[in-house]
Amino acid sequence: MIEHVNELGAVPPPVEGRSPGNAAVAVWSLDTTLDVVGGLPVSGAAKVLDAEEQERAGRLVRPGDRHRYVASHLGLRVLLGMRLGLAPERVVLVREECRCGRGAHGRPAVAGGGVHFSLSHSGDVAYVSLAGVPVGIDVERLPSAASVADVLTSLHPAEAAELSGLPAADLPAAFARVWARKEACLKATGTGLALGLVEPFVGAAADPAPVPGWDLYDLPAPAGYAAALAVRSRGVPA
């Protein structure tokens, strides 16, 4: 497990945290209920977010959901700008080609490269990872028993068997751990959920199962959440 997660709050991040190195991985968490993120007010997001981000935010009916989305994307832009030496509004985001062959629906990326990143938000929490190699991150709020039952059979058969053997009280946390690991890998590859949830096998045990080509880690998370990070292994082409 990676033991340290930076916390992005209302004030801008410290200058000394700007450049951990080309291949270094930085992980940040964010409370998405904040009204100011990294020095940027959520109420002024229209000056910072691009047209696509604003359009997606506008489709969210509930004000709370819209606020959390905007806060998470402001946080992402603050951190990317910090790494790239740009103002947050100057960061240009694009989509890579999807590996499932459906056009530009793959991993989000910075135009021109310079850093790989991943963003995930669930409930009132967002996680961001920045790296010099492809990376995926996921945070999940612990699900209800009904939600677990609905999805359990969609997982790898070995994962479903592991989870089914657990006491009922342990199942939500273990399921969230599996889901976060799997989503982190799928985000890192840019595949997403298009090809289902069977692969990759990540396991339900305390430590993630090996995933060829990727280093998979559980992350510290607030009570009621699980989080995971997938990073391209050294020597593996991007």
Side-chain angles (χ1 to χ4, degrees):
M1 174 183 282
I2 292 179
E3 296 182 353
H4 180 68
V5 173
N6 301 292
E7 185 175 349
L8 178 61
V11 300
V15 173
E16 59 268 23
R18 286 189 176 180
S19 184
N22 184 48
V25 180
V27 178
W28 296 79
S29 67
L30 165 67
D31 177 353
T32 56
T33 66
L34 292 174
D35 291 324
V36 179
V37 178
L40 300 177
V42 173
S43 60
K47 299 177 182 178
V48 181
L49 302 186
D50 64 25
E52 181 179 348
E53 290 170 308
Q54 293 184 54
E55 193 273 333
R56 289 189 176 189
R59 291 205 306 259
L60 298 172
V61 176
R62 297 175 181 173
D65 293 340
R66 189 161 54 248
H67 184 105
R68 287 186 283 269
Y69 174 90
V70 168
S72 66
H73 281 254
L74 285 177
L76 171 65
R77 285 179 167 276
V78 166
L79 296 171
L80 286 173
M82 178 182 68
R83 175 67 72 95
L84 297 169
L86 296 172
E89 65 272 17
R90 301 283 293 176
V91 176
V92 178
L93 302 178
V94 297
R95 283 274 181 181
E96 296 178 347
E97 289 293 316
C98 180
R99 297 194 177 188
C100 62
R102 298 181 181 177
H105 300 290
R107 290 182 301 206
V110 175
V115 63
H116 294 269
F117 72 89
S118 184
L119 165 67
S120 176
H121 51 93
S122 180
D124 294 337
V125 177
Y127 273 51
V128 175
S129 56
L130 307 179
V133 294
V135 64
I137 201 164
D138 193 61
V139 59
E140 295 291 336
R141 188 161 52 181
L142 268 57
S144 66
S147 296
V148 173
D150 286 343
V151 182
L152 189 60
T153 56
S154 300
L155 302 176
H156 191 285
E159 292 165 345
E162 288 181 76
L163 291 169
S164 296
L166 295 175
D170 297 337
L171 188 53
F175 180 87
R177 185 166 62 233
V178 171
W179 189 274
R181 292 170 180 174
K182 199 171 289 274
E183 278 266 32
C185 291
L186 295 174
K187 288 181 177 181
T189 60
T191 305
L193 300 177
L195 301 180
L197 293 169
V198 174
E199 299 294 343
F201 173 73
V202 297
D207 294 319
V211 177
W214 298 92
D215 298 328
L216 182 59
Y217 306 95
D218 290 332
L219 296 173
Y225 292 84
L229 174 77
V231 184
R232 176 76 77 183
S233 299
R234 288 185 180 181
V236 178

